[in-house]
């Protein structure tokens, strides 16, 4: 059995009468990049705050890196880097001084290497040139980078990142995603909360979906995609013969429109389909195998749209 | 098993680290707003001494120890006069600003969640924050006294001085007694700081916390001046503050001083404990 970096059972948080998080059983395997997906207000941040011991669960329990929280917080959290609900720093201190302050608060950090580690972290997120600038003069993207740098001050086994690409331009987004991939390749487990489906598709190995405080789905990305149905799309100016060929091959749900034919692939290899089409003399202008995107998967998994509600 | 190997590679935490406290002090004493506040504190002895140089006083009056009539006789009295002027408002306000900021300021900026997930244990956080407040209370008091001594000796000279009880003491002993006054007042102000620490755990608005502390302090000055409430007076935060004059008698009237220290100690104990009870279980949602 794989070890779990984050594990919860029945974790719940009630604010007043409303359950912000309703009995979720998280299972984040060690070494995975876990996409913690859900619309705004679905309980992601509340969950992350509970995981870090910032708020107390109403019910349920959880473990980080195999140790029970919040009892083991002093032992576990030094190995956990966290970005929670956006960056927050002292506005009148420079980026470098802000990181130095966080490092000074860390009893586990070695003071002798502090200056070097702070600069290395700044360098890793591309902020070294702006190290002496006051935080208040930072753009949103720079602030986000500084918060990421704070998680890199010491080597971490688990990174819990709440919307790390929020506010970044496309270039910054790419850099952060490649940074996360690098960190994961170095052996860290990354729990990445996001509402961007494309982000999950690009870098995650596992997915958990929150919806109105419930964890409505949780699986590896491969499992999710294997359980889904692939389709083919043939572009041609002679759709009728193409339709006939596809039917003869045993494809189902064959549909025809002006210059294309679509069908459900089933267990047939796509190259067999192309071969059959060409042999039948159908002029093929384009052929695509369509894996359903994550959004469709979620609709099929949860029966719900991906809209913000409550 | 894998966990054991991982834990072994993690360096041991230092049991006591002064780095967080140092960082806290850097934050307090490096902030421009606090420089401005300290400049105001230091301005009072300057104004008092210059005004008395230009237009020397003719007679005394008013509540509490009267240092004004003696100002021109010895520089040390400038320091004592400045302390007694700043005691009702400026000094408590300075401490209330720092104390109100302590937890609420971090909560307001959102830095609290990051400090706690470093992790900083909540008890340690309160210990460091309160220590910084106490250090600031001492620094503020010594700043007023120091500026007073400097201005006073420059404008009025030093030398032997006459105590409130009429005894003559040397300038050196005078300095020593002034230092004792500063320590006494700083302990009293630390009680304000303890209340501030507690109030600061209740809110995310540092200014609101500061205002609440000032209402308590000024309010208790007012209550202390209503004779019909004399049964309440011994329990009031500020009731014993002016006892610092007892350190300037010969022999020193220790009764008033020990009562004052005991009262301040009780306030500190109660409110630091309350802050801990509140903060250690609080949900941090900022």
């Amino acid at each position: 059995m794989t070890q779990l970096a984050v594990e919860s059972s029945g974790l719940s948080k009630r604010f007043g009468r409303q359950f912000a998080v309703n009995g979720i059983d998280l299972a984040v395997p060690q070494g995975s990049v876990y996409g913690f997906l859900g619309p705004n207000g679905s309980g992601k941040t509340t969950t992350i705050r509970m995981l870090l011991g910032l708020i107390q669960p109403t019910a349920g329990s959880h473990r980080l890196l195999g140790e029970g929280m919040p009892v083991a917080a002093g032992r576990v959290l030094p190995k956990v880097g966290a970005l929670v609900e956006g960056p927050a720093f002292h506005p009148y201190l420079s980026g470098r001084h802000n990181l130095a302050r966080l490092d000074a608060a860390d009893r586990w950090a070695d003071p002798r290497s502090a200056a070097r580690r702070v600069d290395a972290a700044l360098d890793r997120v591309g902020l070294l040139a702006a190290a002496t600038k006051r935080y208040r003069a930072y753009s949103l993207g720079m602030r986000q980078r500084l918060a990421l740098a704070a998680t890199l001050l010491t080597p971490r086994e688990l990174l819990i990142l709440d919307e790390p690409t929020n506010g970044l331009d496309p270039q910054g987004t790419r850099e952060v995603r490649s940074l996360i991939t690098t960190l994961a390749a170095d052996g860290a487990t990354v729990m990445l909360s996001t509402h961007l489906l494309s982000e999950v598709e690009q870098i995650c190995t596992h997915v958990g979906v929150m919806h109105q405080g419930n964890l409505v789905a949780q699986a590896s990305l491969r499992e999710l995609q294997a359980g889904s149905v692939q389709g083919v799309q043939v572009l041609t100016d002679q759709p009728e013969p193409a339709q006939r060929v596809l039917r003869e091959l045993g494809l189902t749900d064959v549909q025809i429109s002006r210059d294309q034919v679509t069908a459900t692939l089933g267990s047939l290899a796509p190259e067999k389909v192309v071969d059959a089409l060409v042999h039948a003399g159908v002029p093929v202008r384009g052929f695509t195998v369509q894996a359903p995107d994550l959004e469709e998967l979620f609709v099929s998994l949860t029966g719900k749209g991906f809209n913000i509600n409550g | 098993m894998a966990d054991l190997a991982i834990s072994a590679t993690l360096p041991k935490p230092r049991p006591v680290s002064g780095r967080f406290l140092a960082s806290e002090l850097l934050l307090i004493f490096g902030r421009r707003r606090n420089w401005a506040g300290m400049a105001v504190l230091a301005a009072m002895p300057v104004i008092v001494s210059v005004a008395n140089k230009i237009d020397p006083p003719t007679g005394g009056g008013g509540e509490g120890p009267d240092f004004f009539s003696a100002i021109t006789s010895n520089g040390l009295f400038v320091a004592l006069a400045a302390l007694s002027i700043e005691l009702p408002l400026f000094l408590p306000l300075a401490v209330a600003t720092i104390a109100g900021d302590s937890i609420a300021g971090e909560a307001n900026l959102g830095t609290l969640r990051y400090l706690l997930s470093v992790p900083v244990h909540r008890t340690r956080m309160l210990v460091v924050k309160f220590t910084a407040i106490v250090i600031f209370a001492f620094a503020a008091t010594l700043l007023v006294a120091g500026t007073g001594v400097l201005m006073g000796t420059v404008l009025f000279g030093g030398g032997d001085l006459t105590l409130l009880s009429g005894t003559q003491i040397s300038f050196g002993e005078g300095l020593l007694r002034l230092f004792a006054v500063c320590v006494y007042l700083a302990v009293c102000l630390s009680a304000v700081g303890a209340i501030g620490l507690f109030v600061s755990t209740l809110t995310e608005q540092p200014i609101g916390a500061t205002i609440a502390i000032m209402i308590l302090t000024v309010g208790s000055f007012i209550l202390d001046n209503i004779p019909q409430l004399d049964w309440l007076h011994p329990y009031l935060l500020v009731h014993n503050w002016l006892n610092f004059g007892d350190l300037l008698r010969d022999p020193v009237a220790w009764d008033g001083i020990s009562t004052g220290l005991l009262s301040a100690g009780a306030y500190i104990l109660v409110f630091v404990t309350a802050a801990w009870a509140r903060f250690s279980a609080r949900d941090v949602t900022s």
Side-chain angles (χ1 to χ4, degrees):
Chain A
M1 202 190 96
T2 15
Q3 294 231 358
L4 296 176
V6 179
E7 185 182 3
S8 81
S9 97
L11 200 62
S12 306
K13 182 66 187 181
R14 198 182 58 215
F15 290 115
R17 278 196 190 158
Q18 203 188 3
F19 271 96
V21 175
N22 194 0
I24 63 170
D25 300 327
L26 286 169
V28 179
Q30 238 163 41
S32 66
V33 179
Y34 183 101
F36 194 38
L37 201 50
N40 298 324
S42 58
K44 299 192 302 286
T45 299
T46 303
T47 304
I48 287 176
R49 281 179 184 274
M50 278 195 283
L51 291 180
L52 294 169
L54 292 172
I55 60 181
Q56 292 182 329
T58 310
S61 63
H62 71 284
R63 302 168 76 79
L64 291 185
L65 300 169
E67 299 204 65
M69 285 284 288
V71 185
R75 264 199 317 280
V76 173
L77 290 184
K79 299 183 269 185
V80 179
L83 199 167
V84 192
E85 216 175 34
F89 292 95
H90 289 277
Y92 39 86
L93 292 185
S94 69
R96 182 181 275 141
H97 282 139
N98 267 301
L99 291 192
R101 175 169 166 77
L102 284 175
D103 193 70
D106 187 351
R107 289 196 297 139
W108 283 261
D110 184 1
R112 284 163 301 179
S113 60
R116 187 173 47 76
R117 284 182 293 106
V118 164
D119 277 16
L122 285 169
D123 195 28
R124 201 147 181 202
V125 298
L127 265 188
L128 201 51
T132 54
K133 242 187 183 178
R134 280 172 175 237
Y135 177 72
R136 61 152 39 107
Y138 278 19
S139 67
L140 180 55
M142 291 163 84
R143 292 174 178 201
Q144 194 76 18
R145 284 161 191 259
L146 189 63
L148 274 168
T151 67
L152 304 175
L153 283 172
T154 54
R156 313 284 192 187
E157 287 170 36
L158 172 64
L159 288 159
I160 299 180
L161 306 175
D162 195 1
E163 315 224 337
T165 56
N166 202 11
L168 292 177
D169 53 22
Q171 169 69 16
T173 304
R174 248 199 318 277
E175 284 170 21
V176 166
R177 285 179 189 163
S178 104
L179 178 66
I180 291 171
T181 316
T182 315
L183 292 168
D186 291 348
T189 308
V190 182
M191 183 174 179
L192 174 74
S193 134
T194 179
H195 61 264
L196 301 173
L197 293 156
S198 60
E199 197 157 273
V200 171
E201 277 183 314
Q202 282 176 33
I203 59 178
C204 291
T205 58
H206 291 70
V207 188
V209 187
M210 290 289 286
H211 186 81
Q212 295 181 338
N214 296 296
L215 189 64
V216 291
Q218 178 173 252
S220 77
L221 207 58
R222 204 177 304 139
E223 280 168 2
L224 283 183
Q225 280 164 344
S228 63
V229 212
Q230 290 189 322
V232 292
Q233 180 193 40
V234 182
L235 294 181
T236 174
D237 59 352
Q238 294 179 19
E240 284 84 7
Q243 183 190 28
R244 200 168 51 244
V245 172
L246 293 183
R247 285 224 171 100
E248 280 164 8
L249 282 168
L251 272 63
T252 54
D253 199 17
V254 182
Q255 299 206 340
I256 190 163
S257 63
R258 218 157 36 85
D259 58 349
Q260 65 171 9
V261 183
T262 57
T264 304
L265 188 54
S267 56
L268 206 64
E271 53 271 27
K272 291 262 169 65
V273 180
V274 182
D275 199 41
L277 285 168
V278 173
H279 274 288
V282 177
V284 178
R285 287 180 175 168
F287 182 84
T288 331
V289 180
Q290 294 171 316
D293 62 19
L294 223 39
E295 191 163 354
E296 289 169 38
L297 274 178
F298 289 133
V299 175
S300 69
L301 272 169
T302 66
K304 290 168 189 131
F306 201 64
N307 298 316
I308 296 169
N309 36 18
Chain B
M1 277 297 115
D3 278 336
L4 283 177
I6 286 158
S7 309
T9 61
L10 192 78
K12 276 197 186 133
R14 283 157 294 132
V16 179
S17 164
R19 286 179 76 207
F20 187 27
L21 179 62
S23 154
E24 198 58 37
L25 294 175
L26 206 70
L27 210 58
I28 290 175
F29 291 102
R31 191 169 170 182
R32 248 184 300 182
R33 182 198 72 185
N34 297 345
W35 290 359
M38 288 186 281
V40 171
L41 289 180
M44 284 304 123
V46 175
I47 293 170
V48 167
S49 57
V50 171
N52 279 283
K53 183 72 180 174
I54 294 168
D55 188 9
T58 46
E63 290 276 327
D66 175 29
F67 308 110
F68 290 88
S69 49
I71 277 181
T72 49
S73 70
N74 192 301
L76 286 189
F77 284 112
V78 172
L80 291 164
L83 284 173
S84 57
I85 294 174
E86 301 204 29
L87 197 53
L89 184 64
F90 283 4
L91 280 171
L93 182 59
V95 173
T97 308
I98 303 300
D101 224 16
S102 58
I103 302 292
E106 303 272 9
N108 190 41
L109 289 175
T111 42
L112 185 59
R113 63 175 183 268
Y114 284 109
L115 281 175
L116 291 178
S117 39
V118 156
V120 175
H121 194 276
R122 295 186 184 205
T123 308
R124 177 170 169 240
M125 169 94 92
L126 288 175
V127 168
V128 168
K129 288 285 183 184
F130 185 62
T131 309
I133 294 169
V134 170
I135 290 173
F136 178 81
F138 275 86
T141 317
L142 289 171
L143 173 70
V144 174
T147 318
V149 170
L150 194 74
M151 288 304 294
T153 43
V154 167
L155 293 180
F156 308 115
D160 290 355
L161 68 157
T162 313
L163 289 177
L164 297 178
S165 52
T167 329
Q168 284 263 326
I169 58 165
S170 70
F171 188 72
E173 194 188 337
L175 274 180
L176 203 66
R177 291 199 181 217
L178 176 64
F179 181 71
V181 167
C182 288
V183 171
Y184 176 77
L185 290 180
V187 172
C188 291
L189 289 168
S190 298
V192 176
I195 297 173
L197 185 73
F198 170 62
V199 176
S200 194
T201 62
L202 302 177
T203 172
E204 288 171 15
Q205 293 302 325
I207 302 212
T210 302
I211 290 172
I213 304 160
M214 282 320 290
I215 288 174
L216 258 159
T217 309
V218 175
S220 80
F221 265 116
I222 293 170
L223 294 179
D224 202 36
N225 277 303
I226 300 177
Q228 289 81 354
L229 297 175
D230 56 356
W231 53 270
L232 183 67
H233 291 172
Y235 305 103
L236 289 173
L237 173 69
V238 303
H239 181 67
N240 297 299
W241 286 9
L242 291 177
N243 291 0
F244 77 85
D246 291 355
L247 285 164
L248 304 169
R249 295 179 202 286
D250 200 41
V252 173
W254 289 108
D255 273 8
I257 299 301
S258 54
T259 310
L261 291 177
L262 218 61
S263 157
Y267 266 98
I268 290 171
L269 192 70
V270 168
F271 280 96
V272 169
T273 309
W276 176 80
R278 158 75 185 163
F279 187 60
S280 57
R282 182 181 125 184
D283 279 353
V284 173
T285 52
S286 61

